[in-house]
Amino acid sequence: DSGQTDKNRLDMRRIFLVLAGAVSLLAGSILLGGCSCGFDCNNDDSRGTTTLSLGFSDALPEDLKQVVIEVDSITFRRTGVEDVVVDRFTIPALGLTTVDTFQVNLLEYRGRNQLVVITDLELESGTYSQVQIRVLGSDVNRSYVQQDDDTLRELNVSGGVLTLPGPTFARAEQAYTVEFGLAQSLQEESTGRYLMTADGIRLANNATAASISGRVDSSLFDSVSPCDEKPDPTAGNRLYIYEGRPDSARRLGDVFNSNSSTTVPSDVVAPFAVGSLVQNTLTANWEYVFGFLPAGDYTLAFACNTESDDPVDFDDLVIAQPEGQVYQVTLSEGAATVCDVTASGSC
């Protein structure tokens, strides 16, 4: 009869929708299944569960003693799926168990070091649109910067949330790190407060991330023109790293963003990451390290004249200084590369 016919049609429609969904999932798994994930990808697809650990690390600005943020929540967003919000934290390294918020001094976790803030979080595998880190500001007791003279300054986050592009989580155990590029993300405002934006902050897959580190010859600070004109030889020394190998028609640029009040020439290449130097207390050598970088080709440049490098405005600094301090490097997945910056200009 007509009622049975309608029921049969409805059942057939349900079967069709189930099959269509299965085909959609299969297509997604094919697109996401490349083995760049750093694990055995033969059985990876967008179905199943990811077990995630998440850490925080930073690249060091040279003239600050502490950069402390108080984190209220971390949210993983995915289109068509309810947000996963982590708002209770257990962090053994800080002695914290099931707390609503936590404070972290980012300068304690430099280079390849990190603080693990989430452990064994179960997520649906697949591609996420955003990772949002909500930071409590507007209170010097919550988020703050301690300057070199020990003055404490209030630290705020633009909009209260750091929003990062979401990754693709494979169906496996995965460990990621939020790399805080403070030389790019941290700005001192005219009010004396500091502002942190998402500029220079990246999410890196620990399994595939590379690193580069090395010593820097201190003679480059003050023995070669124009570096020998500096009143303080140890100030303003930085390493800039650029993606790829820009040709001779391109200029290696200082730090800037889209809000620059100065015009950025079309031939300028923006740095991918910026690192300052730290003096080893045991050897007295000056050293640098970039951690959690995607594998690939990079150009590394040393500059001794970076004290005026504003994180927002293009400052038209000459990089490299001294001239010739430019290095071409290739970083392999999961590898730790060493490149010593020397007067000879080779590594």
Side-chain angles (χ1 to χ4, degrees), residues 19-35:
L19 289 173
V23 170
S24 176
L25 285 171
L26 178 60
S29 71
I30 292 172
L31 291 174
L32 298 173
C35 281

Side-chain angles (χ1 to χ4, degrees), residues 147-160:
Q147 297 179 311
D148 196 45
D149 62 0
D150 292 327
T151 303
L152 297 183
R153 300 291 187 186
E154 184 180 304
L155 169 60
N156 297 311
V157 165
S158 182

